[in-house]
Amino acid sequence: MDDPTDRDTERRREPRKPKPPRKVSQRYLENAALHYLKRYAATVSQLKRVLMRRVDRSVKFHGTDRAEAVGWVDALAEKLIRNGLVNDRTYAETRVHSLRASGRSARVITQKLRMKGVAAELVQEKLAEATQDVSEDAAALIWARKKRLGPYRRDLSTRADHRQKDLAALARAGFSFAIAKRIIDGNADDLPPRD
């Protein structure tokens, strides 16, 4: 009699063949979009990219009509916008506020949202609103505290040795040299306390 553990080991060694993509239809795309939106907040552009990847895999495998599927994706996006399931304005507002509260610079926030397909004017509008709550200086301070830079170093005796490195870290995070210098060279007594 075969030992069941031997069979399990043999099965694990065999590489699995990838499942062929499903043939796209309007219903399939709608279900895929709703499933995606249940799991992730998304912009219109982002959702279309996700759906178009499915369409392209299906076209490549099944040889279906891509132009027809693109029409379905566009119509579905319009329907989801009308029903309020996809809203770039709401997405931008929540994303900007959360990124700003976590200490991200205006440059980084702008770049992240532009990559998601949010319009430049909308990004600037929402960034201005978020900056009223958390200024660029306050965001740099949050970032420095998070990354233990400058006055937030664990060992303050090494602070001078790491000054250039800390300035570079804030610059890479998208903050201007003036802000980075103010934070890194600032006194811990003048800055808000460590968390």
Side-chain angles (χ1 to χ4, degrees):
M1 188 166 162
D2 288 338
D3 183 14
T5 56
D6 290 339
R7 279 184 277 151
D8 290 340
T9 306
E10 287 176 25
R11 271 191 225 131
R12 275 189 235 129
R13 288 185 189 147
E14 295 174 18
R16 287 187 177 189
K17 293 179 184 173
K19 285 177 26 177
R22 291 185 52 189
K23 192 171 184 176
V24 291
S25 65
Q26 286 178 305
R27 183 77 179 152
Y28 170 74
L29 289 173
E30 187 171 344
N31 288 339
L34 293 174
H35 180 71
Y36 184 79
L37 291 173
K38 275 186 208 172
R39 298 175 69 202
Y40 308 104
T43 63
V44 175
S45 171
Q46 207 176 350
L47 181 65
K48 282 184 173 183
R49 266 196 307 268
V50 167
L51 294 176
M52 286 310 299
R53 278 197 302 266
R54 289 175 183 255
V55 165
D56 289 338
R57 280 195 304 262
S58 175
V59 165
K60 185 177 178 182
F61 190 82
H62 298 287
T64 54
D65 183 22
R66 187 176 194 279
E68 182 181 30
V70 169
W72 292 340
V73 169
D74 291 338
L76 177 59
E78 291 301 318
K79 179 181 174 183
L80 293 172
I81 291 169
R82 269 194 322 272
N83 293 333
L85 293 173
V86 179
N87 186 335
D88 284 1
R89 182 168 288 283
T90 305
Y91 176 86
E93 184 174 346
T94 57
R95 193 76 178 123
V96 165
H97 280 283
S98 70
L99 287 170
R100 189 53 123 174
S102 73
R104 298 304 177 115
S105 67
R107 272 190 207 125
V108 168
I109 292 171
T110 301
Q111 181 182 15
K112 284 181 178 288
L113 290 178
R114 294 294 294 138
M115 287 174 58
K116 296 291 183 182
V118 179
E121 316 80 58
L122 184 56
V123 172
Q124 292 311 312
E125 176 189 330
K126 295 303 175 185
L127 189 56
E129 290 173 14
T131 302
Q132 291 173 355
D133 296 336
V134 180
S135 68
E136 190 81 355
D137 283 13
L141 194 60
I142 292 168
W143 192 254
R145 190 179 310 138
K146 244 175 148 173
K147 299 299 179 180
R148 299 187 183 279
L149 304 173
Y152 296 106
R153 286 200 158 276
R154 284 193 178 136
D155 184 6
L156 291 176
S157 65
T158 63
R159 183 175 170 187
D161 299 336
H162 291 94
R163 182 177 183 274
Q164 291 300 318
K165 192 176 184 178
D166 292 351
L167 286 170
L170 279 178
R172 281 191 304 275
F175 296 103
S176 71
F177 179 73
I179 290 174
K181 191 170 185 283
R182 196 166 40 248
I183 298 299
I184 299 304
D185 293 341
N187 261 340
D189 300 334
D190 300 338
L191 301 173
R194 254 191 237 190
D195 285 340

